[in-house]
Amino acid sequence: MIFNKQWIDEWVENDLSAEQLADKITMAGLEVDSISDVADNFSHVVIGKVLECVEHPDSDHMHVTKIDAGTGENLQIVCGAPNCREGLTVCVALIGAHVNGIDIKKAKLRGVESYGMLCSYKELGMSDESNGIIELPDDAPIGMDIREYFELNDKIIDVDLTSNRPDCLGIVGIAREVSVLLGREFKANKVFSVENKIDDVFPVEVVDKKACPRYLCRIIKGVNQKAKSPLWMVERLRRCGIRAVSPIVDVTNYVMLEYSQPLHSFDLNKLNDKIVVRQAAQGEKLTVLSGEEISLKPNTLVIADSKGAVGLAGIFGGLNSGIDDNTTDVLLESAFFHPDAIKGRARQYGLDTDASHRFERGVDHDNQRRAIERATELLIEIAGGSAGPVTEAVSEDDLPKHERINVRLAKIAKVLGKEIDDDTVYTILHNLELDPQKIDGGYSVVSPSFRFDIEIEEDIIEEVARIYGYDNIPNVTPVSELYMVHEKEEVVADRDIRQAMTDSGYNEAITYSFTDPKVLKEFSSIKPLMLNTPISPELSAMRTSLLAGLSIVAKYNLNRQQKKVRLFEQGLIYIIDQNAENGVRQEPMVAGISAGDIEEEGWHAKSRAVDFFDIKGDVEALLGVTANSDVFTFVRSNEPMLHPGQSADILKNGQKVGYVGMLHPTTAKALGFKQKVGVFEIARSAVSVRNIPSYNPISKFPSVRRDFAFVVDKSVNAYDLTALAYELGGKIVSDAFVFDVFEDESLGDKRSVAIAIIAQDVERTLEESEIEALATKFVEAAKEKFNASLRS
C-alpha cells in the first residue's frame, strides 16, 4: 500500500515526521519498505500564464512564448511542448532554477533567446512520463511557488502489508492504526446519503449469494465525462501510485484508496434489462477493458446482464459495458465478494488488478453503502449529474459472522511475559473498536467488520502487544524444562533413514509436492491430482512418485558439470482415492536417485558409471536399518520405466513394497539424461520398525567352507539357491553367498552359479560327516527344486 503522509494527517493530527511515523507503524507490524519525496528537489519554479504563443521562425515544432510569471516583466521562453498554447496556466522555471539535474540559464535556441523553461510533470520528478507541459487550473495564482501550490512538503510511504491486514489497503485503515498507536482522535470524514433527484433504478439479481452476499448499485445520469478532476484529487492519486484518467475512473479509484472498497462503473446505456451476479457459463467469453478476449471458466464469478457477462466480479470490467468519452449515464457498483470466490481467479486469466488484490484478501463487508455514497458525492461535485436511489441485494445469512471472544488477563501476562494493567488493556481494546465488555478475569470482545482476521484469544493478545509496543515488553531469557522423549527403540525414525543414506554417500533433497506431469508420467501410470491454479504448468500435478522431483533436481545438477549426483528424499505421495479423507490418500515414501560416476577418476582406479549392483547395495544398506533383512527379497521387476535386465521389485514377506533398478534407456532419453541412472522407491512403512538387537556369542570353533558350482536355467534366481542353503543347514549355516556367475556358448541357455556355504557351530566343532551330509542334501535338493547339476 502506497500513501502520502499529508492525507493521513487530515484524519489524525500529529507532529511526527514521515520517518517517525514509519517507525511507529513498522513496530506495530505494518512494515515500511520505503519513504520517498513526492517530487524532485527543484527550486525557483513558479506559476505563470502564457500571454502569447507563436511558432518558432526556425523550427517546425518549437514555440516562442511570452510568459507572465509574476516577476513584473513578461519573459520570453522557447518551448517545444505540443500542448503549449496561449491562455494556458503553466509551471515556469526561472533563471537560476535547478530542475531535473540542470541549472536554468539564459539560452539561445535556434537564434531566439529564452529566459527560462516551461516544465512537465516528468521534469519536476512528479511523474515517470509526460506528454507535455503541466496544465494548471485557470485560477492558479500567478507567481506562487509551485512547491507551495502543490503542497510538495510531503512524503510517500510504501508499506508491505501481510495478507491478514487488508483493512490497511485504504487510507482509513492506515489512519485508524495511527490514531490507536498515538492515542489521538480518529477524524473519520462524515459521509451523507446523497439526495435522490431521479427515481431510476436498475434491477439486480444475485444468483450466487454465497459468493456475493451484498451488492449495491445506483444510477447517476447527466455526468460530464469531459470535466477535469480537481488538482487535489489528481495529486492524491498520483502520490498513491495511480494515474488520473477521467472523473468517473478517478472517483472510483479515489474511494478505493480511501476506504479500501473497490468500485466499478458501467455505462448505463450499454447494459440490458438487469444486473445478474452468477457463475460463468461453460464456454462463455468476455472481452475485458484491456481489449483481450478471454474464455471464462465455470469457477469464475461474473457480473452479467440479460445478454451475457459484462465483467469479471471483483477483478476487471468488460469492454462491452465500459466507460468512454461519450458516457453520460453511469451505473455505479459497490459489492462485497467473498474472498474464496475471487482468490486465484485473476491469476488464472493472467490478470492482476488493485480490485482483485483487495477482494482476494477481504474487504469490510459493512462498507459498501458508505463507499457508494462517498463516490456519488464526489462524482456529482466534479462532473455533475443526478443520482437515483441505491439498489441493494443482501443475504445476511451469507455475510461473515463475528462471534464474541473471551480474553483473559492472566493469559495475556503469560504469553507476553509481562503484566499489563486492566485499564491499559481496556483502552487498547476500546480504541481498536473491539467493543470490550468486562467478564471475570478479563474481557469479552468482538472483532469489527473490517478485522475478520481476529478469531481467537491469541489474536487479541497479539493486538494488545502491538499497540502496547513490543519495545515496551522487556526481553526475558526463556526457561524450558528438559525431559526425556519417550521413544520406542523398535521405531525407525527419519533420522535413521537419513543417516543410512548419507553413510552411503547420498545428499538429502526436499522437492515440491507438486511437479511436472510430463516427468511424472515417466515414473508412474497412476492418474495424478491436478491443481486448479498452479504456480506454473511445470508444477501442476500432485506427485504420485518422489522420483519425478528427484530426477528434475538430478538433471539440473548434471547439466551443471556435476559428475556424481546421489540424492534421496523422504516425503508424501498423493493418490486419488474416494475412500480416503478429502478423496486423496497420502502415502510416505523413501526414494533415491544415483547418476553419473560412482567412483571418481584417480591414479588408483578408473572412473566408473553407476550400475545396478551399486544402487541395489545402497537399498540393502537402507533395509539394514530394520535389523531384519531376511524378510526382504528381490525379484525380477516389470516396472516399465526400469531396464528389464537390471531391475528388481522389493518384497517384504512376499508383498511388494518398492523397486530398484536402472532407468530404461527410453525413459532416460525422455527425461533428458545422457548418463546411466539408478533409482529406487520404497514405502516408508516397510522400514518403519526394526528388530531389537540381542546378544549372540561369537563362536570359538572353526568354520568350514564348501563351494558348489551349479549349472541352472537362466530363469533360476541365485537368491533361491542361497535361501535353500539356509533352509537345509539350519543354525549351523552362518552364511551363504554367490561368488561367481559364468555364462558361455558351451552352456547354451544355462549359466553356472557358484555358491559358497560357511558352516559353523557356536557350541562345538563340526564333524566332517556332518559337513558332507549337508553338502549331499544341498546338491540333491538343488537338483530336485531347480534341476541344478554340479558343473564338472
Side-chain angles (χ1 to χ4, degrees):
M1 173 65 184
I2 301 173
F3 66 93
N4 64 299
K5 185 176 182 298
Q6 282 184 0
W7 201 350
I8 295 296
D9 293 346
E10 289 187 9
W11 293 72
V12 184
E13 288 185 5
N14 67 89
D15 54 3
L16 299 179
S17 66
E19 290 73 17
Q20 290 171 327
L21 178 62
D23 288 342
K24 275 283 184 185
I25 61 178
T26 295
M27 287 303 296
L30 308 182
E31 182 180 356
V32 173
D33 275 350
S34 64
I35 304 172
S36 57
D37 295 324
V38 298
D40 282 350
N41 188 26
F42 57 82
S43 61
H44 292 86
V45 181
V46 299
I47 299 172
K49 192 82 169 181
V50 181
L51 303 176
E52 181 182 317
C53 181
V54 297
E55 293 184 2
H56 193 290
D58 194 25
S59 174
D60 59 355
H61 70 281
M62 287 186 175
H63 306 279
V64 180
T65 67
K66 289 288 190 294
I67 305 295
D68 177 11
T71 60
E73 59 178 336
N74 295 337
L75 305 176
Q76 178 174 286
I77 297 178
V78 178
C79 178
N83 63 328
C84 185
R85 61 188 183 276
E86 186 177 320
L88 196 65
T89 306
V90 294
C91 295
V92 184
L94 304 174
I95 300 296
H98 183 78
V99 175
N100 200 26
I102 60 174
D103 294 321
I104 305 301
K105 302 176 181 178
K106 176 183 175 182
K108 184 176 286 189
L109 302 175
R110 295 196 179 184
V112 178
E113 292 184 335
S114 181
Y115 297 88
M117 182 176 74
L118 304 187
C119 302
S120 67
Y121 279 113
K122 183 177 182 181
E123 288 163 337
L124 298 181
M126 297 171 69
S127 176
D128 292 333
E129 56 184 28
S130 181
N131 296 323
I133 58 176
I134 300 172
E135 299 185 23
L136 297 175
D138 293 338
D139 60 356
I142 304 301
M144 177 180 279
D145 190 284
I146 287 299
R147 301 197 72 87
E148 180 184 352
Y149 180 74
F150 277 100
E151 297 182 356
L152 296 181
N153 186 26
D154 191 10
K155 296 284 188 179
I156 296 173
I157 301 174
D158 187 359
V159 179
D160 186 13
L161 296 173
T162 52
S163 59
N164 69 317
R165 293 306 307 271
D167 58 302
C168 291
L169 286 169
I171 295 296
V172 169
I174 299 286
R176 187 186 288 114
E177 280 286 300
V178 172
S179 72
V180 175
L181 291 169
L182 300 181
R184 302 286 179 83
E185 180 186 359
F186 176 52
K187 297 182 178 180
N189 59 352
K190 294 183 179 180
V191 179
F192 301 98
S193 296
V194 175
E195 180 184 356
N196 302 327
K197 293 189 176 180
I198 59 175
D199 296 327
D200 301 52
V201 295
F202 205 77
V204 175
E205 178 188 355
V206 178
V207 177
D208 193 338
K209 293 182 173 60
K210 187 169 185 178
C212 179
R214 176 173 280 139
Y215 188 95
L216 284 73
C217 65
R218 160 182 268 165
I219 291 174
I220 305 174
K221 286 190 170 183
V223 175
N224 178 15
Q225 175 68 341
K226 294 183 172 60
K228 286 191 175 182
S229 299
L231 184 63
W232 62 266
M233 178 176 286
V234 172
E235 267 299 285
R236 282 189 173 176
L237 290 174
R238 180 186 73 80
R239 295 179 194 189
C240 293
I242 296 179
R243 182 174 61 88
V245 178
S246 66
I248 299 173
V249 176
D250 293 349
V251 164
T252 54
N253 282 335
Y254 184 86
V255 175
M256 178 186 70
L257 288 174
E258 195 170 46
Y259 288 105
S260 188
Q261 171 61 48
L263 304 174
H264 186 66
S265 53
F266 301 96
D267 188 319
L268 180 65
N269 298 316
K270 296 178 182 178
L271 297 175
N272 300 283
D273 301 327
K274 64 178 180 178
I275 287 291
V276 182
V277 185
R278 58 172 172 80
Q279 296 292 329
Q282 185 71 42
E284 192 171 7
K285 296 182 181 296
L286 174 67
T287 301
V288 294
L289 288 170
S290 61
E292 178 188 0
E293 183 182 66
I294 59 177
S295 297
L296 301 176
K297 296 178 173 59
N299 68 342
T300 304
L301 188 69
V302 297
I303 308 299
D305 61 13
S306 60
K307 291 189 176 180
V310 295
L312 296 173
I315 301 174
F316 215 1
L319 190 63
N320 56 355
S321 62
I323 301 295
D324 57 34
D325 291 342
N326 299 317
T327 298
T328 57
D329 301 334
V330 176
L331 181 69
L332 200 58
E333 167 195 282
S334 178
F336 172 74
F337 300 113
H338 198 284
D340 290 343
I342 307 299
K343 198 170 296 180
R345 305 304 192 274
R347 188 165 58 248
Q348 74 181 0
Y349 296 112
L351 302 173
D352 183 17
T353 63
D354 289 330
S356 65
H357 183 77
R358 286 165 170 79
F359 279 124
E360 283 183 339
R361 286 155 179 76
V363 300
D364 183 349
H365 58 81
D366 197 30
N367 202 29
Q368 287 68 49
R369 182 172 290 273
R370 187 182 302 112
I372 200 170
E373 294 287 3
R374 174 67 165 153
T376 305
E377 175 189 13
L378 289 171
L379 184 57
I380 293 175
E381 178 185 325
I382 295 168
S386 301
V390 174
T391 301
E392 179 176 15
V394 60
S395 174
E396 295 289 348
D397 291 339
D398 293 306
L399 286 170
K401 302 296 188 295
H402 298 265
E403 304 294 337
R404 296 200 74 86
I405 308 164
N406 293 337
V407 57
R408 295 160 291 171
L409 296 173
K411 183 67 177 290
I412 293 176
K414 180 180 180 181
V415 172
L416 302 185
K418 177 180 175 59
E419 290 189 10
I420 302 176
D421 66 84
D422 197 331
D423 291 341
T424 302
V425 172
Y426 176 84
T427 300
I428 291 173
L429 298 177
H430 176 75
N431 291 344
L432 287 169
E433 301 181 38
L434 295 173
D435 185 26
Q437 296 180 9
K438 185 68 178 175
I439 60 172
D440 186 24
Y443 292 95
S444 171
V445 302
V446 61
S447 60
S449 58
F450 54 84
R451 288 299 304 274
F452 51 83
D453 60 306
I454 298 177
E455 296 179 332
I456 58 177
E457 184 178 19
E458 284 72 13
D459 294 333
I460 306 298
I461 297 173
E462 179 186 4
E463 292 301 300
V464 171
R466 282 195 321 108
I467 306 305
Y468 183 75
Y470 294 118
D471 50 347
N472 293 323
I473 300 174
N475 293 326
V476 177
T477 303
V479 177
S480 177
E481 295 181 0
L482 298 178
Y483 58 94
M484 298 297 293
V485 177
H486 180 70
E487 188 174 280
K488 293 183 178 179
E489 188 178 358
E490 66 176 4
V491 173
V492 176
D494 287 345
R495 64 175 179 273
D496 299 321
I497 302 292
R498 189 176 297 114
Q499 186 66 53
M501 295 309 300
T502 53
D503 287 347
S504 296
Y506 284 74
N507 291 313
E508 185 173 19
I510 300 175
T511 63
Y512 287 118
S513 295
F514 27 87
T515 189
D516 190 337
K518 294 179 181 178
V519 176
L520 186 59
K521 74 176 183 179
E522 298 293 336
F523 290 102
S524 175
S525 59
I526 301 173
K527 181 181 178 181
L529 178 68
M530 303 300 294
L531 302 179
N532 290 330
T533 55
I535 298 173
S536 67
E538 292 76 22
L539 295 171
S540 59
M542 298 300 290
R543 64 189 182 192
T544 54
S545 169
L546 299 182
L547 289 174
L550 285 176
S551 67
I552 293 171
V553 177
K555 188 176 74 171
Y556 181 90
N557 282 271
L558 290 169
N559 289 344
R560 283 155 181 80
Q561 300 181 318
Q562 297 300 310
K563 295 182 178 180
K564 180 179 180 180
V565 176
R566 309 185 84 183
L567 302 169
F568 80 97
E569 181 173 11
Q570 303 182 74
L572 298 173
I573 62 173
Y574 305 87
I575 310 297
I576 297 175
D577 185 350
Q578 300 305 321
N579 296 323
E581 185 178 358
N582 299 322
V584 179
R585 185 175 76 254
Q586 302 181 45
E587 295 183 359
M589 305 291 286
V590 183
I593 187 167
S594 180
D597 295 342
I598 197 68
E599 292 181 2
E600 296 181 0
E601 186 178 6
W603 62 269
H604 61 291
K606 294 181 179 180
S607 62
R608 177 175 66 81
V610 65
D611 62 24
F612 169 70
F613 296 104
D614 294 317
I615 192 79
K616 179 173 178 286
D618 297 335
V619 171
E620 288 174 331
L622 171 62
L623 300 178
V625 300
T626 65
N628 195 20
S629 300
D630 293 344
V631 301
F632 294 98
T633 55
F634 295 84
V635 299
R636 187 181 297 274
S637 177
N638 294 318
E639 292 287 346
M641 80 283 193
L642 298 179
H643 195 296
Q646 301 177 33
S647 59
D649 287 339
I650 305 169
L651 308 183
K652 182 177 183 180
N653 295 323
Q655 297 293 320
K656 182 177 178 179
V657 294
Y659 54 81
V660 59
M662 306 300 293
L663 284 185
H664 194 288
T666 304
T667 304
K669 183 178 180 181
L671 294 172
F673 286 108
K674 298 178 183 178
Q675 304 86 348
K676 290 183 178 181
V677 180
V679 298
F680 72 86
E681 189 165 28
I682 184 170
R684 178 66 174 82
S685 58
V687 288
S688 60
V689 179
R690 66 162 62 89
N691 278 348
I692 304 299
S694 58
Y695 166 75
N696 286 314
I698 297 175
S699 178
K700 300 177 182 179
F701 303 96
S703 62
V704 179
R705 171 171 170 161
R706 288 289 184 268
D707 294 344
F708 306 86
F710 291 110
V711 177
V712 295
D713 291 336
K714 291 184 178 180
S715 60
V716 174
N717 291 323
Y719 169 81
D720 294 331
L721 288 170
T722 56
L724 179 62
Y726 284 115
E727 180 185 343
L728 295 175
K731 67 177 184 177
I732 69 169
V733 174
S734 61
D735 196 6
F737 57 90
V738 177
F739 66 89
D740 185 46
V741 177
F742 175 74
E743 295 183 8
D744 189 72
E745 293 180 0
S746 62
L747 296 177
D749 59 352
K750 295 178 181 293
R751 64 161 63 100
S752 172
V753 179
I755 305 290
I757 296 178
I758 308 297
Q760 187 178 31
D761 198 296
V762 296
E763 297 177 350
R764 61 187 176 85
T765 300
L766 294 174
E767 300 289 340
E768 181 67 24
S769 59
E770 293 178 280
I771 303 300
E772 291 301 325
L774 172 61
T776 302
K777 281 171 52 179
F778 182 47
V779 171
E780 291 175 351
K783 180 178 181 180
E784 181 182 346
K785 283 193 172 187
F786 307 114
N787 194 27
S789 60
L790 287 176
R791 183 178 170 197
S792 57

